[in-house]
Amino acid sequence: MENIIETVDLTKRYSKAVALDSVSIHVRQGEIYGLIGKNGAGKSTLFKTMMGLAPYSSGEIKLFGSKSNKEIEHARQRMGFMMGAHFFPYLSARENLEYFRKLKGIADKAEVDRVLKLVEMDKVKKKFKSFSLGMKQRVSIANALMGYPDIVVLDEPINGLDPQGIADFRRIVQKLNKENKMTFLISSHILGELELMATRFGFIHDGKLIEEIDRETIRNKTEEKVIVKTNDIEKATYVLEQKFPNIEYQVNGDKELVISKMVEKTDEIASLLVSKELKLFKLVAQEISIQEYYLEMITKGGTDHV
């Protein structure tokens, strides 16, 4: 699959501080790429350099295969971008987007109404200054989607959205990705939400890109686990050790038994514990979350340690 965004050893220094440290990112056409990292990890700085909003110290940026400054400037016209909510406070959502439609050179006047309907802001008449944070985020997302860009870059787009707003955003992204073949590059520190929509992930920590990995590869590299909560954890561990001498487990902070590599024996585990007169308060097979994978990555220092 073709890379439509690529950076090569991209580095950004602020005096003695290094905001980006030799970052090489690859966003492929047609995917929903989730850039994951805590606040201050370098996500926004990467986006600013990528979009030409901030200079970089060294390295290279390629957009749609273009490398020269002139070609990259032209390529940026094929991109929608959201970073913060920078609009005129005394204008309505529609009036703000009408201004940006003209600024972007989009001839179709119906485009403003289309994107406002997508984010359910088409009936809002009041001025931008009176909007909630969630409403401002919706207008920012609508602005990024104007003109059917080939790729949409969104920096922390779900900040301030309520649960319904987050679900609606996810639906919009997945619909445009599937039906319009639109590529998305989305950053967030809310890992659980990106986990539900992204097809590929980049983990960034302290300015370094630790790993890029497909969702399916994460599933192949990690193991499911069985989580058991009983009325007698000591008896449960003894019973299981007698039945399964090679069992691998640990007890978490909630006094639950977390068993590795035995998802296929979940029913057998349940039957065994019940037969020994243990009460089962919880027994679930659980796949490792993106958040757990990310935390393991930054703790152990990269792919060589996973």
Side-chain angles (χ1 to χ4, degrees), residues 43-45 47-48 53 81-86 140 153-155:
K43 303 187 300 295
S44 295
T45 302
F47 283 2
K48 286 178 180 178
L53 300 176
F81 181 59
M82 170 198 165
M83 177 174 280
H86 305 295
S140 296
V153 180
L154 303 173
D155 189 33

Side-chain angles (χ1 to χ4, degrees), residues 76-129:
R76 286 185 178 124
Q77 296 176 17
R78 301 169 60 185
M79 302 171 70
F81 181 59
M82 170 198 165
M83 177 174 280
H86 305 295
F87 295 93
F88 298 105
Y90 51 86
L91 298 180
S92 67
R94 185 176 299 279
E95 289 167 338
N96 267 294
L97 292 188
E98 189 59 36
Y99 168 81
F100 282 102
R101 178 186 69 81
K102 294 174 181 177
L103 191 66
K104 293 177 180 183
I106 299 171
D108 186 2
K109 295 182 179 180
E111 185 64 0
V112 170
D113 193 56
R114 181 187 74 86
V115 294
L116 283 173
K117 285 180 178 177
L118 277 176
V119 298
E120 298 182 352
M121 288 287 290
D122 53 308
K123 294 181 171 60
V124 178
K125 307 297 183 185
K126 58 185 180 180
K127 304 304 181 185
F128 187 85
K129 63 183 177 182

